[in-house]
Amino acid sequence: PVAATPPPVMAVLSPLEDLSKAREAQNGGNQAAAASLAERATAAHPLLVEGYIVEGRALSNQGDDDGAIVALRKAVFLDPSAAHAHFLLATTLARVGDPGGASLSFASAAETLPRASTETLSELLDGRAVSDLVDLCRQLADSLYADPEPSVGAGAVSYDDGRRRW
């Protein structure tokens, strides 16, 4: 009898290797591969915040804003200090027409950006100072917060600072 040859062994990447490959794919413009690899990394390691950020950015770049919002919300839930995630979530929420959510996320970005590493923020900064991005986030948070008018009976309460809270 002839011995059967064993099936080929497929290399299984670790979550961190998947995340590294996802970043490479994203930097190379392959957003679909980046999203897939990042999703696989977070499926294997559900607390991998950077995986959700890469996935959210890749999905957003592909026009899947709903998927991006889900991934980015996971990132900020797991790490409320993730400035990059707050900023990406804010821009995505603004794009889909959620000014209240975008305002809160821009405000969170403004609070967390000064504590983030410049390496993490390099793509967001694009040569600008962190303080410039913080100022922009505060301006956007304020302008978006001022825009939405609650419908009658929505339970909005006006406060002395002029903002409405529900």
Side-chain angles (χ1 to χ4, degrees):
V2 177
T5 58
V9 177
M10 305 246 322
V12 176
L13 298 178
S14 76
L16 294 178
E17 288 171 320
D18 277 339
L19 181 58
S20 177
K21 297 267 186 215
R23 285 188 188 117
E24 288 174 21
Q26 195 162 57
N27 291 338
N30 189 344
Q31 303 304 323
S36 178
L37 286 162
E39 182 180 17
R40 190 165 76 182
T42 58
H45 191 319
L47 302 179
L48 190 59
V49 173
E50 186 62 26
Y52 293 113
I53 295 171
V54 171
E55 180 185 1
R57 181 174 166 224
L59 291 171
S60 180
N61 287 340
Q62 293 181 90
D64 181 0
D65 289 327
D66 292 338
I69 289 168
V70 169
L72 294 167
R73 281 188 171 149
K74 287 177 184 178
V76 298
F77 176 80
L78 291 170
D79 184 3
S81 69
H84 193 160
H86 284 293
F87 184 82
L88 293 171
L89 180 59
T91 58
T92 305
L93 290 169
R95 190 172 44 252
V96 300
D98 181 354
S103 174
L104 291 172
S105 291
F106 276 124
S108 295
E111 292 300 315
T112 56
L113 281 165
R115 295 186 300 275
S117 73
T118 53
E119 179 184 327
T120 303
L121 300 177
S122 64
E123 70 185 48
L124 292 179
L125 294 175
D126 196 30
R128 294 174 295 218
V130 172
S131 60
D132 292 342
L133 190 55
V134 168
D135 290 343
L136 175 63
C137 287
R138 286 189 178 131
Q139 291 169 6
L140 290 169
D142 289 344
S143 69
L144 288 167
Y145 197 87
D147 284 346
E149 282 298 320
S151 60
V152 175
V157 177
S158 293
Y159 288 85
D160 291 340
D161 65 0
R163 294 186 175 205
R164 299 171 91 76
R165 295 176 182 88
W166 288 263

